[in-house]
Amino acid sequence: MKGVAYRYSTLQQRKEGAETTHVIHALKRSVSYLESCGHQIELAKSKVELAREYLLFGKRKKAMEWVETAARGLYSFNDALVPDDIRPL
């Protein structure tokens, strides 16, 4: 569950003021680990966080790409898993 650990560590770093580029890089690492282990719900959660970070960075198109793949994965389990702030994208 290295991917989950990277996501939580990155979220803490974000709270502490880490640069957006660092946060994006770390979240991509989380996604990479989670893709290799195959845990779809945790993978989608990391993709959602990556989309949120791209939105903060002003990259709406890139955020939408990540949201699309994350939402697809979450909807396959339960549409209630898709966060409310991501649904409009």
PDB file of all heavy atoms in Angstrom, residues 3-4 11 14-15 19-20 22-23 27 30 32 37 42 46 49 51-53 63-64 68-69 72 74 80 86:
ATOM      1  N   GLY A   3       1.282   3.204  -2.391  1.00  0.00           N
ATOM      2  CA  GLY A   3       0.569   4.275  -3.077  1.00  0.00           C
ATOM      3  C   GLY A   3      -0.312   5.072  -2.141  1.00  0.00           C
ATOM      4  O   GLY A   3      -0.395   6.303  -2.233  1.00  0.00           O
ATOM      5  N   VAL A   4      -0.974   4.393  -1.216  1.00  0.00           N
ATOM      6  CA  VAL A   4      -1.825   5.075  -0.240  1.00  0.00           C
ATOM      7  C   VAL A   4      -0.956   5.913   0.698  1.00  0.00           C
ATOM      8  O   VAL A   4      -1.283   7.062   1.016  1.00  0.00           O
ATOM      9  CB  VAL A   4      -2.678   4.060   0.555  1.00  0.00           C
ATOM     10  CG1 VAL A   4      -3.478   4.754   1.646  1.00  0.00           C
ATOM     11  CG2 VAL A   4      -3.607   3.304  -0.383  1.00  0.00           C
ATOM     12  N   LEU A  11      -0.681  14.699   0.994  1.00  0.00           N
ATOM     13  CA  LEU A  11      -1.745  15.567   1.491  1.00  0.00           C
ATOM     14  C   LEU A  11      -1.272  16.342   2.722  1.00  0.00           C
ATOM     15  O   LEU A  11      -1.608  17.522   2.882  1.00  0.00           O
ATOM     16  CB  LEU A  11      -3.000  14.752   1.809  1.00  0.00           C
ATOM     17  CG  LEU A  11      -3.686  14.113   0.604  1.00  0.00           C
ATOM     18  CD1 LEU A  11      -4.883  13.270   1.056  1.00  0.00           C
ATOM     19  CD2 LEU A  11      -4.111  15.154  -0.409  1.00  0.00           C
ATOM     20  N   ARG A  14       0.962  19.044   1.488  1.00  0.00           N
ATOM     21  CA  ARG A  14       0.159  20.114   0.897  1.00  0.00           C
ATOM     22  C   ARG A  14      -0.336  21.062   1.996  1.00  0.00           C
ATOM     23  O   ARG A  14      -0.261  22.276   1.855  1.00  0.00           O
ATOM     24  CB  ARG A  14      -1.032  19.547   0.129  1.00  0.00           C
ATOM     25  CG  ARG A  14      -1.894  20.650  -0.502  1.00  0.00           C
ATOM     26  CD  ARG A  14      -3.268  20.194  -0.899  1.00  0.00           C
ATOM     27  NE  ARG A  14      -3.271  19.242  -1.984  1.00  0.00           N
ATOM     28  CZ  ARG A  14      -4.313  18.454  -2.245  1.00  0.00           C
ATOM     29  NH1 ARG A  14      -5.404  18.489  -1.499  1.00  0.00           N
ATOM     30  NH2 ARG A  14      -4.279  17.608  -3.245  1.00  0.00           N
ATOM     31  N   LYS A  15      -0.818  20.483   3.099  1.00  0.00           N
ATOM     32  CA  LYS A  15      -1.286  21.302   4.221  1.00  0.00           C
ATOM     33  C   LYS A  15      -0.164  22.170   4.785  1.00  0.00           C
ATOM     34  O   LYS A  15      -0.406  23.269   5.272  1.00  0.00           O
ATOM     35  CB  LYS A  15      -1.830  20.418   5.346  1.00  0.00           C
ATOM     36  CG  LYS A  15      -3.204  19.899   5.116  1.00  0.00           C
ATOM     37  CD  LYS A  15      -3.669  19.110   6.339  1.00  0.00           C
ATOM     38  CE  LYS A  15      -5.047  18.575   6.145  1.00  0.00           C
ATOM     39  NZ  LYS A  15      -5.515  17.822   7.327  1.00  0.00           N
ATOM     40  N   GLU A  19       5.072  22.973  -2.505  1.00  0.00           N
ATOM     41  CA  GLU A  19       4.821  23.514  -3.841  1.00  0.00           C
ATOM     42  C   GLU A  19       3.943  22.568  -4.655  1.00  0.00           C
ATOM     43  O   GLU A  19       4.039  21.346  -4.522  1.00  0.00           O
ATOM     44  CB  GLU A  19       6.138  23.730  -4.578  1.00  0.00           C
ATOM     45  CG  GLU A  19       6.949  24.865  -4.021  1.00  0.00           C
ATOM     46  CD  GLU A  19       8.130  25.183  -4.900  1.00  0.00           C
ATOM     47  OE1 GLU A  19       8.080  24.931  -6.126  1.00  0.00           O
ATOM     48  OE2 GLU A  19       9.113  25.692  -4.351  1.00  0.00           O
ATOM     49  N   THR A  20       3.121  23.155  -5.496  1.00  0.00           N
ATOM     50  CA  THR A  20       2.189  22.379  -6.317  1.00  0.00           C
ATOM     51  C   THR A  20       2.916  21.364  -7.185  1.00  0.00           C
ATOM     52  O   THR A  20       2.467  20.226  -7.308  1.00  0.00           O
ATOM     53  CB  THR A  20       1.331  23.312  -7.187  1.00  0.00           C
ATOM     54  OG1 THR A  20       0.616  24.201  -6.322  1.00  0.00           O
ATOM     55  CG2 THR A  20       0.349  22.548  -8.030  1.00  0.00           C
ATOM     56  N   HIS A  22       5.664  19.808  -6.606  1.00  0.00           N
ATOM     57  CA  HIS A  22       6.077  18.677  -5.754  1.00  0.00           C
ATOM     58  C   HIS A  22       4.883  17.776  -5.453  1.00  0.00           C
ATOM     59  O   HIS A  22       4.990  16.547  -5.517  1.00  0.00           O
ATOM     60  CB  HIS A  22       6.699  19.182  -4.458  1.00  0.00           C
ATOM     61  CG  HIS A  22       6.915  18.098  -3.451  1.00  0.00           C
ATOM     62  ND1 HIS A  22       7.951  17.193  -3.557  1.00  0.00           N
ATOM     63  CD2 HIS A  22       6.212  17.741  -2.352  1.00  0.00           C
ATOM     64  CE1 HIS A  22       7.877  16.338  -2.555  1.00  0.00           C
ATOM     65  NE2 HIS A  22       6.831  16.651  -1.807  1.00  0.00           N
ATOM     66  N   VAL A  23       3.754  18.379  -5.132  1.00  0.00           N
ATOM     67  CA  VAL A  23       2.550  17.614  -4.794  1.00  0.00           C
ATOM     68  C   VAL A  23       2.098  16.793  -6.005  1.00  0.00           C
ATOM     69  O   VAL A  23       1.774  15.606  -5.871  1.00  0.00           O
ATOM     70  CB  VAL A  23       1.421  18.550  -4.303  1.00  0.00           C
ATOM     71  CG1 VAL A  23       0.115  17.799  -4.126  1.00  0.00           C
ATOM     72  CG2 VAL A  23       1.837  19.227  -2.996  1.00  0.00           C
ATOM     73  N   LEU A  27       1.887  12.734  -6.111  1.00  0.00           N
ATOM     74  CA  LEU A  27       0.613  12.063  -6.377  1.00  0.00           C
ATOM     75  C   LEU A  27       0.707  11.160  -7.600  1.00  0.00           C
ATOM     76  O   LEU A  27       0.092  10.095  -7.641  1.00  0.00           O
ATOM     77  CB  LEU A  27      -0.514  13.090  -6.535  1.00  0.00           C
ATOM     78  CG  LEU A  27      -0.969  13.753  -5.237  1.00  0.00           C
ATOM     79  CD1 LEU A  27      -1.898  14.924  -5.531  1.00  0.00           C
ATOM     80  CD2 LEU A  27      -1.641  12.744  -4.311  1.00  0.00           C
ATOM     81  N   SER A  30       2.114   8.053  -6.390  1.00  0.00           N
ATOM     82  CA  SER A  30       1.062   7.289  -5.713  1.00  0.00           C
ATOM     83  C   SER A  30       0.232   6.520  -6.731  1.00  0.00           C
ATOM     84  O   SER A  30      -0.033   5.331  -6.566  1.00  0.00           O
ATOM     85  CB  SER A  30       0.165   8.235  -4.909  1.00  0.00           C
ATOM     86  OG  SER A  30      -0.997   7.586  -4.464  1.00  0.00           O
ATOM     87  N   SER A  32       1.085   5.595  -9.717  1.00  0.00           N
ATOM     88  CA  SER A  32       1.918   4.546 -10.314  1.00  0.00           C
ATOM     89  C   SER A  32       1.963   3.294  -9.427  1.00  0.00           C
ATOM     90  O   SER A  32       1.776   2.172  -9.919  1.00  0.00           O
ATOM     91  CB  SER A  32       3.327   5.084 -10.545  1.00  0.00           C
ATOM     92  OG  SER A  32       4.163   4.088 -11.053  1.00  0.00           O
ATOM     93  N   CYS A  37      -0.426  -2.342  -8.108  1.00  0.00           N
ATOM     94  CA  CYS A  37      -1.026  -3.301  -7.173  1.00  0.00           C
ATOM     95  C   CYS A  37      -2.490  -3.574  -7.505  1.00  0.00           C
ATOM     96  O   CYS A  37      -3.044  -4.570  -7.054  1.00  0.00           O
ATOM     97  CB  CYS A  37      -0.876  -2.841  -5.726  1.00  0.00           C
ATOM     98  SG  CYS A  37      -2.007  -1.571  -5.206  1.00  0.00           S
ATOM     99  N   GLU A  42      -8.590   2.919  -4.209  1.00  0.00           N
ATOM    100  CA  GLU A  42      -7.487   3.775  -3.744  1.00  0.00           C
ATOM    101  C   GLU A  42      -6.832   4.491  -4.922  1.00  0.00           C
ATOM    102  O   GLU A  42      -6.436   5.652  -4.803  1.00  0.00           O
ATOM    103  CB  GLU A  42      -6.458   2.960  -2.957  1.00  0.00           C
ATOM    104  CG  GLU A  42      -6.984   2.408  -1.656  1.00  0.00           C
ATOM    105  CD  GLU A  42      -7.459   3.474  -0.673  1.00  0.00           C
ATOM    106  OE1 GLU A  42      -6.973   4.626  -0.721  1.00  0.00           O
ATOM    107  OE2 GLU A  42      -8.324   3.152   0.160  1.00  0.00           O
ATOM    108  N   SER A  46      -6.491   8.658  -5.392  1.00  0.00           N
ATOM    109  CA  SER A  46      -5.265   9.391  -5.721  1.00  0.00           C
ATOM    110  C   SER A  46      -5.450  10.226  -6.977  1.00  0.00           C
ATOM    111  O   SER A  46      -4.961  11.352  -7.065  1.00  0.00           O
ATOM    112  CB  SER A  46      -4.087   8.428  -5.888  1.00  0.00           C
ATOM    113  OG  SER A  46      -3.684   7.928  -4.634  1.00  0.00           O
ATOM    114  N   GLU A  49      -7.335  13.373  -6.059  1.00  0.00           N
ATOM    115  CA  GLU A  49      -6.440  14.348  -5.422  1.00  0.00           C
ATOM    116  C   GLU A  49      -5.531  15.010  -6.446  1.00  0.00           C
ATOM    117  O   GLU A  49      -5.246  16.208  -6.360  1.00  0.00           O
ATOM    118  CB  GLU A  49      -5.614  13.699  -4.311  1.00  0.00           C
ATOM    119  CG  GLU A  49      -6.417  13.305  -3.108  1.00  0.00           C
ATOM    120  CD  GLU A  49      -7.183  14.459  -2.471  1.00  0.00           C
ATOM    121  OE1 GLU A  49      -6.719  15.630  -2.536  1.00  0.00           O
ATOM    122  OE2 GLU A  49      -8.257  14.205  -1.902  1.00  0.00           O
ATOM    123  N   ALA A  51      -6.322  15.504  -9.582  1.00  0.00           N
ATOM    124  CA  ALA A  51      -7.194  16.441 -10.299  1.00  0.00           C
ATOM    125  C   ALA A  51      -7.387  17.722  -9.489  1.00  0.00           C
ATOM    126  O   ALA A  51      -7.332  18.827 -10.043  1.00  0.00           O
ATOM    127  CB  ALA A  51      -8.543  15.787 -10.588  1.00  0.00           C
ATOM    128  N   ARG A  52      -7.602  17.589  -8.197  1.00  0.00           N
ATOM    129  CA  ARG A  52      -7.762  18.771  -7.339  1.00  0.00           C
ATOM    130  C   ARG A  52      -6.515  19.652  -7.387  1.00  0.00           C
ATOM    131  O   ARG A  52      -6.592  20.874  -7.419  1.00  0.00           O
ATOM    132  CB  ARG A  52      -8.036  18.353  -5.903  1.00  0.00           C
ATOM    133  CG  ARG A  52      -9.432  17.836  -5.680  1.00  0.00           C
ATOM    134  CD  ARG A  52      -9.652  17.445  -4.231  1.00  0.00           C
ATOM    135  NE  ARG A  52     -11.031  17.054  -4.002  1.00  0.00           N
ATOM    136  CZ  ARG A  52     -11.401  16.012  -3.291  1.00  0.00           C
ATOM    137  NH1 ARG A  52     -10.483  15.241  -2.715  1.00  0.00           N
ATOM    138  NH2 ARG A  52     -12.679  15.735  -3.125  1.00  0.00           N
ATOM    139  N   GLU A  53      -5.366  19.012  -7.378  1.00  0.00           N
ATOM    140  CA  GLU A  53      -4.114  19.774  -7.410  1.00  0.00           C
ATOM    141  C   GLU A  53      -3.954  20.503  -8.742  1.00  0.00           C
ATOM    142  O   GLU A  53      -3.536  21.655  -8.776  1.00  0.00           O
ATOM    143  CB  GLU A  53      -2.932  18.843  -7.149  1.00  0.00           C
ATOM    144  CG  GLU A  53      -1.696  19.553  -6.705  1.00  0.00           C
ATOM    145  CD  GLU A  53      -1.849  20.331  -5.410  1.00  0.00           C
ATOM    146  OE1 GLU A  53      -2.608  19.907  -4.511  1.00  0.00           O
ATOM    147  OE2 GLU A  53      -1.192  21.380  -5.285  1.00  0.00           O
ATOM    148  N   ALA A  63      -6.896  18.527 -15.190  1.00  0.00           N
ATOM    149  CA  ALA A  63      -7.701  18.042 -14.063  1.00  0.00           C
ATOM    150  C   ALA A  63      -8.858  17.192 -14.560  1.00  0.00           C
ATOM    151  O   ALA A  63      -9.156  16.135 -14.003  1.00  0.00           O
ATOM    152  CB  ALA A  63      -8.225  19.217 -13.248  1.00  0.00           C
ATOM    153  N   MET A  64      -9.494  17.628 -15.624  1.00  0.00           N
ATOM    154  CA  MET A  64     -10.633  16.888 -16.164  1.00  0.00           C
ATOM    155  C   MET A  64     -10.217  15.514 -16.668  1.00  0.00           C
ATOM    156  O   MET A  64     -10.973  14.554 -16.532  1.00  0.00           O
ATOM    157  CB  MET A  64     -11.322  17.698 -17.259  1.00  0.00           C
ATOM    158  CG  MET A  64     -12.074  18.892 -16.689  1.00  0.00           C
ATOM    159  SD  MET A  64     -12.818  19.956 -17.941  1.00  0.00           S
ATOM    160  CE  MET A  64     -13.945  18.832 -18.725  1.00  0.00           C
ATOM    161  N   GLU A  68     -11.917  12.211 -15.064  1.00  0.00           N
ATOM    162  CA  GLU A  68     -12.648  11.272 -15.915  1.00  0.00           C
ATOM    163  C   GLU A  68     -12.269   9.827 -15.603  1.00  0.00           C
ATOM    164  O   GLU A  68     -13.138   8.974 -15.417  1.00  0.00           O
ATOM    165  CB  GLU A  68     -12.379  11.577 -17.385  1.00  0.00           C
ATOM    166  CG  GLU A  68     -13.175  10.729 -18.328  1.00  0.00           C
ATOM    167  CD  GLU A  68     -12.891  11.096 -19.776  1.00  0.00           C
ATOM    168  OE1 GLU A  68     -12.958  12.284 -20.116  1.00  0.00           O
ATOM    169  OE2 GLU A  68     -12.578  10.172 -20.551  1.00  0.00           O
ATOM    170  N   THR A  69     -10.995   9.551 -15.515  1.00  0.00           N
ATOM    171  CA  THR A  69     -10.581   8.179 -15.232  1.00  0.00           C
ATOM    172  C   THR A  69     -10.916   7.779 -13.805  1.00  0.00           C
ATOM    173  O   THR A  69     -11.299   6.640 -13.551  1.00  0.00           O
ATOM    174  CB  THR A  69      -9.080   7.964 -15.507  1.00  0.00           C
ATOM    175  OG1 THR A  69      -8.314   8.814 -14.668  1.00  0.00           O
ATOM    176  CG2 THR A  69      -8.735   8.225 -16.959  1.00  0.00           C
ATOM    177  N   ARG A  72     -14.766   7.186 -13.543  1.00  0.00           N
ATOM    178  CA  ARG A  72     -15.120   5.932 -14.199  1.00  0.00           C
ATOM    179  C   ARG A  72     -14.888   4.754 -13.261  1.00  0.00           C
ATOM    180  O   ARG A  72     -15.716   3.859 -13.135  1.00  0.00           O
ATOM    181  CB  ARG A  72     -14.312   5.767 -15.489  1.00  0.00           C
ATOM    182  CG  ARG A  72     -14.872   4.750 -16.438  1.00  0.00           C
ATOM    183  CD  ARG A  72     -14.127   4.677 -17.775  1.00  0.00           C
ATOM    184  NE  ARG A  72     -13.785   5.959 -18.339  1.00  0.00           N
ATOM    185  CZ  ARG A  72     -12.538   6.324 -18.661  1.00  0.00           C
ATOM    186  NH1 ARG A  72     -11.524   5.502 -18.474  1.00  0.00           N
ATOM    187  NH2 ARG A  72     -12.292   7.500 -19.182  1.00  0.00           N
ATOM    188  N   LEU A  74     -14.663   4.860  -9.910  1.00  0.00           N
ATOM    189  CA  LEU A  74     -15.531   4.932  -8.728  1.00  0.00           C
ATOM    190  C   LEU A  74     -16.978   4.598  -9.056  1.00  0.00           C
ATOM    191  O   LEU A  74     -17.654   3.934  -8.276  1.00  0.00           O
ATOM    192  CB  LEU A  74     -15.428   6.315  -8.087  1.00  0.00           C
ATOM    193  CG  LEU A  74     -14.087   6.627  -7.427  1.00  0.00           C
ATOM    194  CD1 LEU A  74     -14.031   8.086  -7.001  1.00  0.00           C
ATOM    195  CD2 LEU A  74     -13.839   5.713  -6.243  1.00  0.00           C
ATOM    196  N   ALA A  80     -21.845   6.953  -5.231  1.00  0.00           N
ATOM    197  CA  ALA A  80     -21.721   7.779  -4.034  1.00  0.00           C
ATOM    198  C   ALA A  80     -20.251   7.991  -3.630  1.00  0.00           C
ATOM    199  O   ALA A  80     -19.952   8.877  -2.831  1.00  0.00           O
ATOM    200  CB  ALA A  80     -22.484   7.151  -2.875  1.00  0.00           C
ATOM    201  N   ILE A  86     -16.102  17.083  -7.243  1.00  0.00           N
ATOM    202  CA  ILE A  86     -15.562  16.606  -8.512  1.00  0.00           C
ATOM    203  C   ILE A  86     -16.678  16.315  -9.531  1.00  0.00           C
ATOM    204  O   ILE A  86     -16.457  16.372 -10.730  1.00  0.00           O
ATOM    205  CB  ILE A  86     -14.715  15.314  -8.264  1.00  0.00           C
ATOM    206  CG1 ILE A  86     -13.502  15.668  -7.395  1.00  0.00           C
ATOM    207  CG2 ILE A  86     -14.288  14.654  -9.544  1.00  0.00           C
ATOM    208  CD1 ILE A  86     -12.551  16.658  -7.993  1.00  0.00           C
TER     209      ILE A  86
END
